[in-house]
Amino acid sequence: LVRQQRHSEAHAHLERALELALETPEVHASLGETHSKLGRPGAAVLHYESALRLRPGWRAPANNLAWLLATHPDPRVRDTARALEISKNLSESNPTFLDTIAAAQAAAGHFDLAQQNAAAAISLARLSGDIEFARAIEARLALYRANRAFVDPNP
């Protein structure tokens, strides 16, 4: 409840920034994150896309957008083709980005590629000492090995 309240407060401040004509990629990216955390995926998509329109190639909101489009439980939100297209521009030397690439590939039915990228993400996460993240990716890898896509239960 406290986390939800903080996201709501942050959202209000970011909306105020837009009203003050502070239409920056940072404000849109932050609004994308807050809308996503508040359970408003449609608005999140719009703001992530605005951030990328204002700053093409910015990987953080691109990753968030691709993840949302690849893994959201609502089929009206998912857009596998767009998630794949966005994920092509993510760095393959980052475990978070590789995890998103794998999720998009699995959502599109490319399970062999998803397995390869998930395995690489696990290795990179372990090398960086993020064992908890590596374990989360391992759970997704098990789905990909069973020819199943990951659907985020907590989008």
Side-chain angles (χ1 to χ4, degrees), residues 85-122:
E85 186 61 35
I86 294 165
S87 71
K88 287 179 184 177
N89 297 318
L90 297 175
S91 169
E92 294 185 9
S93 60
N94 177 310
T96 301
F97 295 166
L98 276 169
D99 186 32
T100 298
I101 292 166
Q105 290 168 330
H110 305 296
F111 296 106
D112 289 340
L113 291 172
Q115 290 173 46
Q116 292 170 15
N117 282 308
I122 291 165

Side-chain angles (χ1 to χ4, degrees), residues 99 102-103 106 111 114-115 118 140-150:
D99 186 32
F111 296 106
Q115 290 173 46
R140 290 188 276 281
L141 176 57
L143 290 172
Y144 308 154
R145 287 181 174 145
N147 292 335
R148 293 178 47 212
F150 172 73

Side-chain angles (χ1 to χ4, degrees), residues 36-59:
S36 184
K37 290 174 182 172
L38 290 170
R40 302 175 189 149
V45 168
L46 291 174
H47 283 289
Y48 286 139
E49 288 177 342
S50 292
L52 295 171
R53 180 179 34 79
L54 293 167
R55 186 184 292 165
W58 188 14
R59 290 186 177 132

